[in-house]
Every structure is written in C-alpha cells, then in structure tokens.
Amino acid sequence: MASISTLKTLLFTLGPLLIPRLLSYYRTVRTQSQTSLIPVRPTPSHVRNALNILFVSCIFALVSSLPYFSPENVFTITSSRLQIPTDVLFTRLSALRPDHTLTDLDNSLRHRLASLDSRCLYLAYGPSAIAQCPFCNSDDPQTYLYYSIPSLLFPHLLNFFALGLATSSTISGKEGGRWRTLAATVGAIIAIAECYILGSYDWKANARALRAEDLVHFYWRLHTMRGVVIAIANAGLAGLLWASSTNRIFIVPASSAERLESVSKVLETVKGKLGAVGIMRNVTVRDDNLRKRGEGYWRKEGQVMGEVMDEREVVEGIRNALGSGRISVGKIEEEARRYAEGIIGAQESVPAE
C-alpha cells in the first residue's frame, strides 16, 4: 500500500501540472455556458428523483463508515498491544462482555489469534476472515484475500445499483443517461482500487509495533475510507447531474431533429390560435348585434383618443418631441411603408390553393 509520504510526493509533483489545467478547463466550460443561448432552467422533476436517490446513497455510505457499524476490534476495545498473551487479551475482553461471558465469535478468535502472524492478518482482513473462513491458513495469506473479496465488493454492488437506478432513462431521462457511463466507470475504479489496496498491503507491517498506539488498524481504516469515497463520488455525480440538467454547465445543444420538432410544435400552436381568432372575427362580423357593439367600441375609442390628443399637455409634448428631433415623422412613415409592403408581399407569395 502506498505510504503517506508517497502520496504527498505525487501531489506535490503532479499538483502544479494538473491544477492549472483543471482550472482552465472549468473556466472554458463556464464561459461556454454563459455565452450559450440556452437559458438556465429549474431542475426537472425526473432529475430531482435521481438526485434524491444519490442523496440517500451518500447518507448510507457516510453512515456505514461510522465506527458503530464497523466490526469490533478486540485490540482497540481492550487497549492491548499486539504481543499480549492470548489468555490476558481474552480475559480483558470477557470483563467487557455481559455476565463476563465470551461470545461464539470471541471463542473462535481465541483459538486463531495464538500467533503473531494471525494477529497481523486480523488487523489486515478483519475478524470475520480470521474467525469464519473455513479454508484460510496463515501459511498462505492470499486465502484471506480471496475470502474477503466478496464481502468487500458487496457495498460496491449496492452502490452500482444506486448509480444505475439514478442514471437510468426511466428515472432521470436523457439528462441522467449521459452520465451513466461515467458513473459506472467511477464506481468500478473505486471497487478495483480497494481490491488493489487490500491485495498490495503488507499485512506484516504491524509485526514491529510494540505499543498499542503504533498499530495500524488497516481493515477498519479501509472500511471508513470506503464509505467516505463512495459518498464523495456520488455527491460529485449529483452535482454534475444537477448542473447539466439546469443548463449551467456541460450544455449539449439540441439536435437538428429536436429543434425542428420544437419549431413545428410552436407553429402548430400559433396556427391554432390564428384559426381561433379568425373564427371569432367571422362570428363577430356576421352577427348584427356583435358587429354593432364592435363599431360602437371603435367610435368611442376614436372619441376618447381624440379628446386625449387635444389636451394641452399632450399637444405641447408632441410639439417638443418633433421640435427636438426625438421623433422623426419621415422615419416613422418609412417604417410603416416597409411593414405594409412586407405584409402585402408575404400574402402575394403564398400560392393560391
């Protein structure tokens, strides 16, 4: 397993190279998002369902990393060093048990923690592998790795299920589907990395520890880090899903077919509204009562606007606007002429049916 000093060396070596590139990539994506014509939108309802699934998976991952849900470590609860005699270790342990009675797991461990190698394997692979593995032997430490892999992969399988559910088209639509491959890749990398770390760990590292404070409880550290890393990865995926679904970053422009379909729907809506207006206008013109009411409205409108335009304040305002050049009558007439010609030209270009 890589030491802390090795990780620090990698960070100090690769950090100055990677961090500027990541910042530059983020600025580029951010600039593209800000200059895009696609507006920011609220989080879609189906994406909220996926975010809820990822939130629950993060909570479960963090809770599972708590010491309460970790297997009991007999050396920690008894504050014992690795070289303590077996009888003394389990005498201390029995004093902590109800009625001073050892459990079946304690008795199984008592027979198997007799040697220093088995105790080192205990700290590396946990109590279940030592007490319950039927084919494991300290002479072949790889057998403990083989026994531990299924239980090690089980949390990752649950995480795969959560990721697959959150990024499925049924739950999150196309917004989640675009991140499905990335989610599966990250989940697989985390699982493979944990298997590699466990397989490459030097299980004899604690043999030279003379004090209880010097022991490296590798199995329990790995258990804690697993939940934290899964929670961080799922939270990052949730952030990407939220940002992309609301058109903040990682915007994917609509395809030509999608744009054509959207424009067709708008035109169909406009056509329907124009048809309704035409029907209402036809009914109004044909009905004597409605036609008279319409003519009366426009006569009243002309009288009201005439009275308004004759008021002194309005007349002075128009005179000042014309005199100062803020309003150009010639420009208004030219715009009106172009507008009228555009309407007439558009009507003439429509072929007769």
Side-chain angles (χ1 to χ4, degrees):
M1 181 180 178
S3 63
I4 299 298
S5 60
T6 304
L7 294 177
K8 288 183 179 179
T9 303
L10 290 175
L11 288 177
F12 283 116
T13 303
L14 300 179
L17 299 176
L18 295 178
I19 292 178
R21 293 179 179 272
L22 292 176
L23 291 177
S24 176
Y25 176 72
Y26 172 76
R27 293 192 187 100
T28 302
V29 173
R30 188 65 178 173
T31 302
Q32 292 176 351
S33 303
Q34 292 175 349
T35 57
S36 175
L37 298 178
I38 301 177
V40 176
R41 63 173 181 175
T43 307
S45 58
H46 55 277
V47 175
R48 285 199 297 267
N49 295 332
L51 294 178
N52 290 334
I53 294 174
L54 293 175
F55 175 75
V56 172
S57 68
C58 290
I59 295 299
F60 271 104
L62 289 176
V63 170
S64 67
S65 66
L66 297 177
Y68 179 81
F69 296 97
S70 299
E72 193 177 58
N73 187 341
V74 296
F75 292 99
T76 300
I77 63 175
T78 59
S79 300
S80 301
R81 59 190 181 91
L82 198 64
Q83 293 80 6
I84 187 174
T86 304
D87 293 337
V88 176
L89 173 64
F90 284 91
T91 299
R92 291 182 179 181
L93 184 61
S94 64
L96 302 175
R97 298 299 189 210
D99 300 328
H100 302 284
T101 303
L102 296 176
T103 64
D104 294 338
L105 179 63
D106 295 336
N107 290 321
S108 179
L109 288 174
R110 183 168 189 169
H111 293 89
R112 301 198 179 198
L113 292 181
S115 64
L116 181 62
D117 285 349
S118 61
R119 296 183 181 191
C120 291
L121 291 168
Y122 173 85
L123 295 178
Y125 297 101
S128 177
I130 302 301
Q132 300 176 358
C133 179
F135 59 86
C136 298
N137 193 323
S138 59
D139 295 332
D140 186 7
Q142 290 295 321
T143 56
Y144 291 97
L145 175 63
Y146 303 148
Y147 180 84
S148 301
I149 284 179
S151 59
L152 181 149
L153 293 178
F154 181 71
H156 295 283
L157 293 177
L158 293 179
N159 185 48
F160 269 118
F161 176 76
L163 294 177
L165 191 63
T167 57
S168 65
S169 57
T170 305
I171 299 296
S172 57
K174 63 179 182 179
E175 290 84 356
R178 63 180 294 199
W179 300 107
R180 191 174 182 86
T181 302
L182 177 63
T185 303
V186 173
I189 290 175
I190 295 174
I192 294 173
E194 185 174 358
C195 292
Y196 172 77
I197 291 172
L198 181 61
S200 60
Y201 176 67
D202 182 12
W203 59 273
K204 289 186 176 181
N206 286 305
R208 296 179 295 273
L210 300 178
R211 299 180 302 171
E213 295 80 8
D214 297 334
L215 293 177
V216 177
H217 304 279
F218 176 77
Y219 173 82
W220 288 266
R221 288 187 180 181
L222 194 63
H223 180 273
T224 300
M225 292 305 300
R226 177 196 306 142
V228 173
V229 171
I230 290 177
I232 293 174
N234 290 4
L237 175 63
L240 292 175
L241 180 57
W242 171 80
S244 60
S245 65
T246 55
N247 296 331
R248 284 176 167 83
I249 55 175
F250 305 110
I251 299 175
V252 178
S255 62
S256 300
E258 291 175 341
R259 291 198 299 268
L260 182 60
E261 182 181 1
S262 177
V263 172
S264 299
K265 291 181 179 179
V266 172
L267 291 177
E268 288 291 336
T269 303
V270 172
K271 181 180 178 182
K273 292 182 178 180
L274 290 176
V277 171
I279 294 173
M280 293 178 62
R281 178 64 178 168
N282 190 23
V283 172
T284 303
V285 172
R286 290 177 181 273
D287 187 88
D288 294 337
N289 186 26
L290 293 177
R291 186 173 63 253
K292 290 178 181 179
R293 292 180 61 181
E295 293 173 352
Y297 168 79
W298 288 113
R299 282 195 300 270
K300 182 67 175 178
E301 177 72 11
Q303 295 174 1
V304 172
M305 292 303 298
E307 294 175 356
V308 171
M309 296 298 293
D310 291 337
E311 292 183 0
R312 180 178 178 180
E313 292 82 359
V314 177
V315 173
E316 291 179 353
I318 294 175
R319 185 182 297 115
N320 294 333
L322 293 174
S324 62
R326 288 183 299 170
I327 297 178
S328 176
V329 177
K331 184 178 180 180
I332 294 175
E333 290 178 349
E334 179 64 20
E335 292 179 353
R337 183 184 64 80
R338 291 178 181 177
Y339 180 74
E341 289 179 353
I343 295 177
I344 296 173
Q347 291 178 348
E348 290 178 352
S349 63
V350 176
E353 295 181 357

